[in-house]
Amino acid sequence: MSARRQIPWRTIAVAIVAAAAASAGTRTPLSPEVERAARTVTPQDLSEYVGVLAADDMDGRGLETAGNRRAAEYVVSAFTRIGVSAALPNYLQNFSLFDAALSQATALEVRDADGRELLRRTAGEEFYPASISASRTVTAEATFKPREAPGRIVFLPIGSGFSRAAERRRTVSEWTLKGAVGVIIIAPSLEPLGDTWQIGALDDDPSYQSAEIAAIPVAFITKGLADKLRPLVGRAQLTLAAEIERRQVKTFNVVAALPGADAARRDELVVVGAHLDHDGVDPRRGVFNGADDDASGVAGVLEVAEAFASAAAAGVRPARTIVFAIWNAEESGLFGSRHFVAHPSPQGRPVANLNLDMVGRDEDVPDPSSPRFSGFAATKAKDNVNVLHLLGYSHSPDLTSVVRMANEVTRFDLRTSYDAGSHNLVRRSDHWSFLEQGIPALFLTTGLHPDYHTPDDDADKINFEKLARVARMTFEAAWRLADAPSAPRFVP
């Protein structure tokens, strides 16, 4: 039996005071090495990063452009210089999408035994194939009774595992194994489902979809249409035609990591992320440089990574692994972050995400009647010079407390007011990919402005002092999350 180590009473007292302060939500001091590392975050570094990423020769970092690839190579070179390891070979996490379009032949049709048409709907407000649907036409009996699914097209309510994209894939796979030849999901409305795509041939305006495709056709219909179909299905056959043209698109995330110091907690991942892509080039309007959206966030992540690397060089690392993720295809549908959450790298379990998206300006909503600002209240930039919004707070109270503690140094006016509302802002950035899967996540943003998604979102409009404060606060919050005794809770 080993000897019991005697711990000085002063050490015990300091630990008790620190624990009490943490539970009370007041800031406890970090080690001198960590405090020094935070000072490596500078406006000058951030200005250099944003200046490169938001330059015209980056082609607006549009997906499938040479500029998007150049921007990724620049981020890789920065991670290499900083000294954080690649989470995958060459730092790149490859994944695929489809550029998809519906054929005009896509339809839902019911005919009686004599071949007479009883009902027909083309893709529109009442009927729409799901993004995971196989490109296929099936004609079979249909049923609203799940036990009768083998050999039939089965109607299922959206609550039966279909409300989230990942749930849809799993649930359709289950019904395929049960013998269903098609699945039709009944929803109150098709508008909020996010499964719309263009109708007609593929063209220069891509409509990206996940590369994870079901083996059978899958579609959504409204409850109103389901009520019309219910008396018909017992005496007729149904044709579900989901005719889809798909072009494979290969892309990638850029992912670096600093392994945790505690072997027992090293497989728990604290992820600090931002998105690489933006809206590319419009031949008429010019380059959408996306300096705020989201070169500012990428620059912030790079500075956070440098601060962690500086602390590691001084011999100090947090218990958990820190992952620095630069996601692609955010503007197209959060595809990069969704792929990461499904396939975390390095291998482990993501326990928290801090997402930086548009963190370099002052919120400015001059005209709430504009569709671009629908659901927001009018506000002026001069009233928001010190404002930082947190989204996801209602699902991540532990993360919110940690950010508030870190903010005792940076002293932002933290706002928690955007998790609800018709603007749906909480679902519009990469943190949502984590929240969808029950992982605590916060979206940090300084808010929208008139240059949002226009060619006027340029580097000369970024407040680099403010961006530096966001990055320093993010570094401290990420460190505290990675070194905390327990992982944060998720609140459904």
Side-chain angles (χ1 to χ4, degrees), residues 127-480:
F127 156 74
Y128 226 100
S131 62
I132 60 170
S133 177
S135 180
R136 187 172 302 171
T137 295
V138 295
T139 298
E141 292 183 5
T143 181
F144 285 85
K145 299 175 182 178
R147 66 178 182 275
E148 298 177 351
R152 293 179 169 87
I153 299 168
V154 62
F155 290 87
L156 298 168
I158 195 166
S160 304
F162 290 103
S163 58
R164 295 175 176 173
E167 290 176 346
R168 293 172 208 165
R169 289 190 289 271
R170 288 194 299 270
T171 306
V172 170
S173 294
E174 292 170 6
W175 284 100
T176 303
L177 291 173
K178 291 176 182 178
V181 298
V183 169
I184 296 178
I185 306 159
I186 305 167
S189 165
L190 305 195
E191 187 273 331
L193 292 173
D195 274 279
T196 57
W197 41 15
Q198 63 193 26
I199 300 176
L202 298 176
D203 56 24
D204 293 333
D205 185 18
S207 180
Y208 294 111
Q209 303 290 344
S210 169
E212 299 184 50
I213 303 302
I216 58 177
V218 184
F220 291 101
I221 64 169
T222 61
K223 184 180 182 301
L225 181 56
D227 291 340
K228 295 173 185 175
L229 287 165
R230 198 177 293 272
L232 301 178
V233 297
R235 58 188 179 89
Q237 284 203 322
L238 187 147
T239 296
L240 172 56
E243 295 296 327
I244 303 159
E245 181 183 359
R246 288 187 169 103
R247 174 180 65 89
Q248 188 177 39
V249 175
K250 294 183 178 181
T251 187
F252 45 81
N253 298 319
V254 184
V255 189
L258 181 73
D262 183 354
R265 287 180 281 174
R266 191 173 296 149
D267 66 345
E268 295 183 346
L269 312 179
V270 174
V271 184
V272 182
H275 70 89
L276 182 73
D277 62 306
H278 195 50
D279 287 346
V281 181
D282 185 307
R284 294 174 294 105
R285 300 176 64 191
V287 183
F288 287 70
N289 284 318
D292 196 25
D293 187 11
D294 187 27
S296 66
V298 174
V301 173
L302 291 174
E303 282 292 84
V304 171
E306 182 172 353
F308 271 97
S310 176
V316 181
R317 286 183 295 150
R320 295 179 180 84
T321 294
I322 294 285
V323 178
F324 308 102
I326 306 301
W327 293 298
N328 236 325
E330 187 268 358
E331 302 286 9
S332 310
L334 315 183
F335 291 113
S337 54
R338 281 177 171 152
H339 180 81
F340 175 89
V341 172
H343 308 280
S345 190
Q347 288 189 348
R349 179 172 67 91
V351 298
N353 165 238
L354 296 174
N355 174 49
L356 305 183
D357 193 353
M358 297 183 65
V359 283
R361 297 278 296 268
D362 300 324
E363 186 174 35
D364 187 7
V365 180
D367 182 11
S369 66
S370 166
R372 301 176 68 245
F373 300 114
S374 178
F376 291 91
T379 188
K380 298 178 180 178
K382 68 181 181 63
D383 297 325
N384 295 296
V385 293
N386 195 44
V387 168
L388 180 66
H389 292 281
L390 305 181
L391 289 88
Y393 56 86
S394 57
H395 301 289
S396 310
D398 293 343
L399 264 67
T400 304
S401 294
V402 170
V403 169
R404 289 191 185 282
M405 184 182 295
N407 189 51
E408 290 183 26
V409 176
T410 44
R411 299 197 175 278
F412 279 109
D413 175 7
L414 294 181
R415 303 276 179 89
T416 51
S417 53
Y418 278 160
D419 269 17
S422 60
H423 47 69
N424 207 21
L425 195 62
V426 74
R427 295 171 180 254
R428 286 163 54 181
S429 192
D430 288 304
H431 68 293
W432 185 250
S433 299
F434 291 82
L435 292 177
E436 277 189 313
Q437 300 305 316
I439 302 167
L442 282 182
F443 168 19
L444 282 65
T445 182
T446 50
L448 301 185
H449 46 73
D451 297 330
Y452 169 65
H453 280 232
T454 77
D456 297 321
D457 182 6
D458 291 321
D460 60 358
K461 297 178 181 177
I462 299 296
N463 182 337
F464 290 105
E465 293 286 347
K466 185 174 187 177
L467 177 53
R469 291 169 62 209
V470 174
R472 289 188 197 113
M473 188 187 75
T474 302
F475 166 65
E476 178 172 330
W479 187 282
R480 291 182 182 279

Side-chain angles (χ1 to χ4, degrees), residues 1-6:
M1 180 183 294
S2 61
R4 181 179 178 186
R5 186 167 67 92
Q6 296 297 314

